[in-house]
Amino acid sequence: QVQLMESGGGLVQPGGSLRLSCSGPTHIFRSYTMAWYRQAPGKERELVASITSGGLIEYANSEEGRFTISRDNAKRTMYLQMTSLKPEDTAVYYCNAKFLFPSAVDEYWGEGTQVTVSS
């Protein structure tokens, strides 16, 4: 059973910053594309950003510029640096790992970490 463990969530004031971390097994960080998703109350889970094992990055929506995704494969950790946080960034943030085989997808999720942006 693959375990992905998020940390770093919490309560922050608007305009503040947080850094989320996701740790996992070595073989995941060696080969899998990692991503951060978030789910706000009453909304569907949405992609925030992804990063391949080789470091190619994609951001969804308009978070690029405020959010920075990175990974340290040697430390088996992925990060999401979030700045200029807004109340609408309030959500549970999930770590995701995915590998595309020729005829199958291997995918894992963390349990999530709550981020609340409020004054």
Side-chain angles (χ1 to χ4, degrees), residues 3 6 8 16 19 21 32 35 43 46 48 57 68 85 109 113:
Q3 280 194 313
E6 302 99 336
R19 188 177 80 158
S21 300
Y32 284 53
K43 296 188 176 181
E46 63 176 3
V48 176
I57 292 172
T68 303
L85 283 162
W109 293 91
T113 185

Side-chain angles (χ1 to χ4, degrees), residues 3 6 8 18 24-25 31 33 42 59 63-64 67 70 73-75 81-82 86 93 97 105-106 116:
Q3 280 194 313
E6 302 99 336
L18 279 176
S31 305
T33 292
Y59 292 96
E63 277 71 28
E64 186 172 9
F67 292 1
S70 62
N73 293 334
K75 294 183 177 179
Q81 179 69 50
M82 303 186 293
K86 306 173 182 179
Y93 285 70
V105 177
D106 196 28
T116 302

Side-chain angles (χ1 to χ4, degrees), residues 48-67:
V48 176
S50 65
I51 181 168
T52 68
S53 59
L56 294 177
I57 292 172
E58 291 190 18
Y59 292 96
N61 301 323
S62 60
E63 277 71 28
E64 186 172 9
R66 296 193 302 124
F67 292 1

